[in-house]
Amino acid sequence: MGSSWSGFLEKNELDEATGLTVKQKRILVQTWAPVDKDTKKYGVALLWQLFKEYPDVQQQFPQFKDESIDKIKDSPKLRAHGTAVVKAISTMIQNLDDAECLVELIKKTARSHYHRGIDYKYFEILAQFVVQFLKSQLGRDVMTAEAEEAWVTVFKTINSVIKVGMDEEAIQSIQ
């Protein structure tokens, strides 16, 4: 009985750095695995659906600005950037157990987007969209309520670090 209790505590122990439990980290890795196996397919679908649902987001990308949503669907630029977005998320998921590395990865993303003039609000839109996208692509059997909660939590963490990173860049740029 003691070993099952310690297993329960271990799975539910909160990692202060990420705000996630061991169980939530495992769920994130498991639910992301199908996406990670076909980054191009999911990357194209993710960006295309994001642009379709949020046309303002598409306007933030010089290579897609003012282009017809149908025209960019088969574009090599969409395939390349969609793949890069999915790979970036994959790298973050792979580093959930290395908080220092995770923070640096996220801040690198924040810096590069800050210098391109991307507003923080687009990261909030992306976070909400990715959760909905995963539910639509993977189904409710994979994206259970527990999985959805884990994804919402990890994106809260990611976006809080994005915000800090962008704020740090803003301060540095005026000094």
Side-chain angles (χ1 to χ4, degrees):
M1 183 163 158
S3 65
S4 65
W5 181 249
S6 64
F8 171 80
L9 290 176
E10 180 183 300
K11 288 180 185 173
N12 290 300
E13 185 178 331
L14 189 66
D15 176 349
E16 296 293 328
T18 62
L20 297 164
T21 64
V22 171
K23 184 177 183 182
Q24 285 176 315
K25 288 179 185 182
R26 181 181 47 76
I27 289 170
L28 290 166
V29 169
Q30 288 173 342
T31 55
W32 191 252
V35 178
D36 195 41
K37 284 181 183 162
D38 199 347
T39 56
K40 192 182 305 181
K41 171 189 153 188
Y42 284 103
V44 167
L46 176 73
L47 277 191
W48 192 77
Q49 288 176 26
L50 177 66
F51 293 168
K52 192 172 178 183
E53 213 167 301
Y54 297 94
D56 186 44
V57 173
Q58 180 182 337
Q59 297 306 306
Q60 303 307 305
F61 294 83
Q63 69 269 40
F64 305 124
K65 191 173 185 170
D66 299 326
E67 292 287 339
S68 153
I69 189 74
D70 294 322
K71 182 179 178 185
I72 66 169
K73 187 169 188 177
D74 297 319
S75 146
K77 290 178 182 178
L78 185 71
R79 289 193 307 274
H81 199 75
T83 299
V85 169
V86 168
K87 287 284 190 188
I89 296 170
S90 292
T91 302
M92 290 175 198
I93 297 303
Q94 291 163 1
N95 282 282
L96 290 173
D97 286 327
D98 185 349
E100 291 173 336
C101 181
L102 179 61
V103 166
E104 289 307 313
L105 288 165
I106 297 168
K107 283 187 173 183
K108 181 179 177 187
T109 299
R111 285 190 295 272
S112 71
H113 285 76
Y114 173 83
H115 290 290
R116 284 186 254 150
I118 305 300
D119 192 280
Y120 171 74
K121 73 180 181 182
Y122 295 107
F123 286 96
E124 292 176 316
I125 290 169
L126 180 64
Q128 293 172 2
F129 184 80
V130 169
V131 174
Q132 297 309 309
F133 175 79
L134 290 173
K135 287 195 303 193
S136 73
Q137 294 292 309
L138 305 176
R140 284 286 187 183
D141 290 343
V142 174
M143 280 299 289
T144 62
E146 197 172 33
E148 185 174 346
E149 180 184 346
W151 279 100
V152 168
T153 302
V154 79
F155 274 116
K156 282 181 185 175
T157 300
I158 290 169
N159 281 351
S160 69
V161 177
I162 290 282
K163 180 79 170 113
V164 168
M166 289 183 140
D167 289 348
E168 288 173 355
E169 285 300 302
I171 290 167
Q172 282 188 345
S173 68
I174 59 174
Q175 291 179 343

